[in-house]
Amino acid sequence: DKSENIELAIAAFKQALTVFTFEAFPQNWAATTNNLANAYSNRIKGDKGENIELAIAAFKQVLQTIYTFEALPQDWAATTNNLGEAYRNRIKEYKGENIELAIAAFEQALTVHTFETFPQDWAMTKNNLGNAYSDRLKGDQGENIELAIAAFEQALIVRTFEALPQSWGTTKNNLGTIYCNRIKGNKRENIELAIAAFEQALTVRTFEALPQDWAETKNNLGNVYRNRIKGDKSENIELAIAAFKQALT
């Protein structure tokens, strides 16, 4: 059971911290506290908002003490990226400000997670930045969407079908979602780009291998067929119904 496994992980990290104290073993403390924060970020049990606050507090503790940019830049960047994701998913406080904090964290992480030095980490952080721009409330909505598209397309330079198929599928799904909401460009063409991205994602996000991801993308595909301009309207609606029914399995 996923939720129970996470509870076991939290308990294990807390036990480890009884020995890996900040005073005695600072680097082990930082690594374990970072792991604990990640577990809180993914926690299913308890109050979601409170779990995210616990994760944010733990990430900040690590970044303010051991995982500094000067001392451990790689660990700093990885933890700053994780902090960005926590801010993006934060329930408490003002959503718009949380997204700005997330964007700032991802952009900081990218000063270390460069394409040349750490291409996979760079691509992951670019994907996260794309999600943050997709959710952004501040600024011009059309421009934010263009920034999200650019970030996802950059991530796909590294996240190729051949090299990283699951990550490629995730970013393709994200790209499809943002094309659905695109303001600039031709609406009809944007919808076709979304359909193509979702169908590509489904070559990896299969029912057998990744059923939850498959269902998410099928639902997205249903929404886009429902709003499709190209082709026969009644046929598009039938395709939407079929996709929704598949997702419901």
Side-chain angles (χ1 to χ4, degrees):
D1 178 75
K2 180 70 175 174
S3 63
E4 185 54 36
N5 289 335
I6 293 171
E7 295 306 305
L8 291 168
I10 289 168
F13 294 137
K14 283 181 174 178
Q15 286 177 311
L17 287 168
T18 62
V19 175
F20 287 161
T21 63
F22 176 78
E23 295 75 19
F25 303 100
Q27 287 207 18
N28 296 110
W29 170 86
T32 307
T33 300
N34 185 64
N35 291 341
L36 180 62
N38 284 324
Y40 276 128
S41 293
N42 297 317
R43 195 181 196 185
I44 296 163
K45 290 188 177 180
D47 179 73
K48 182 70 176 172
E50 185 55 37
N51 288 334
I52 292 172
E53 294 306 306
L54 290 168
I56 290 169
F59 287 136
K60 282 183 170 180
Q61 277 184 308
V62 170
L63 289 167
Q64 289 164 3
T65 53
I66 308 300
Y67 285 177
T68 64
F69 176 78
E70 295 76 18
L72 296 162
Q74 278 184 261
D75 293 320
W76 172 85
T79 305
T80 299
N81 175 76
N82 293 343
L83 179 62
E85 273 294 273
Y87 275 128
R88 191 174 71 82
N89 296 315
R90 196 181 197 184
I91 296 164
K92 295 189 176 182
E93 307 302 332
Y94 172 59
K95 178 74 173 173
E97 184 56 35
N98 288 333
I99 296 297
E100 295 307 305
L101 290 167
I103 290 169
F106 295 137
E107 288 180 344
Q108 284 180 309
L110 286 166
T111 62
V112 175
H113 287 168
T114 64
F115 175 77
E116 295 75 18
T117 314
F118 303 106
Q120 286 196 28
D121 293 322
W122 173 84
M124 173 191 66
T125 307
K126 281 285 181 180
N127 181 75
N128 293 343
L129 185 60
N131 284 327
Y133 276 124
S134 299
D135 297 336
R136 197 180 198 187
L137 302 179
K138 288 188 178 179
D140 179 74
Q141 187 64 26
E143 184 55 34
N144 288 334
I145 290 171
E146 294 308 304
L147 289 168
I149 290 169
F152 291 138
E153 287 181 344
Q154 285 177 308
L156 288 167
I157 296 167
V158 175
R159 293 183 154 196
T160 64
F161 175 78
E162 296 75 19
L164 298 161
Q166 273 189 251
S167 299
W168 174 84
T170 297
T171 304
K172 279 287 181 180
N173 180 74
N174 293 342
L175 192 58
T177 302
I178 202 67
Y179 272 125
C180 290
N181 300 319
R182 195 181 195 187
I183 296 165
K184 293 187 179 183
N186 180 272
K187 180 71 175 173
R188 178 190 177 106
E189 183 56 33
N190 288 334
I191 291 172
E192 294 308 305
L193 289 168
I195 290 169
F198 290 138
E199 287 180 343
Q200 285 177 308
L202 287 167
T203 62
V204 174
R205 295 182 147 206
T206 64
F207 175 78
E208 296 76 20
L210 298 162
Q212 280 187 283
D213 293 332
W214 173 83
E216 179 195 7
T217 304
K218 280 286 181 181
N219 183 72
N220 293 342
L221 191 58
N223 281 323
V224 77
Y225 272 126
R226 188 166 58 85
N227 297 315
R228 195 182 196 188
I229 298 164
K230 209 174 186 179
D232 180 72
K233 181 69 175 173
S234 62
E235 180 57 32
N236 288 333
I237 296 295
E238 292 307 309
L239 289 168
I241 290 167
F244 290 138
K245 283 183 173 176
Q246 285 177 308
L248 287 168
T249 61

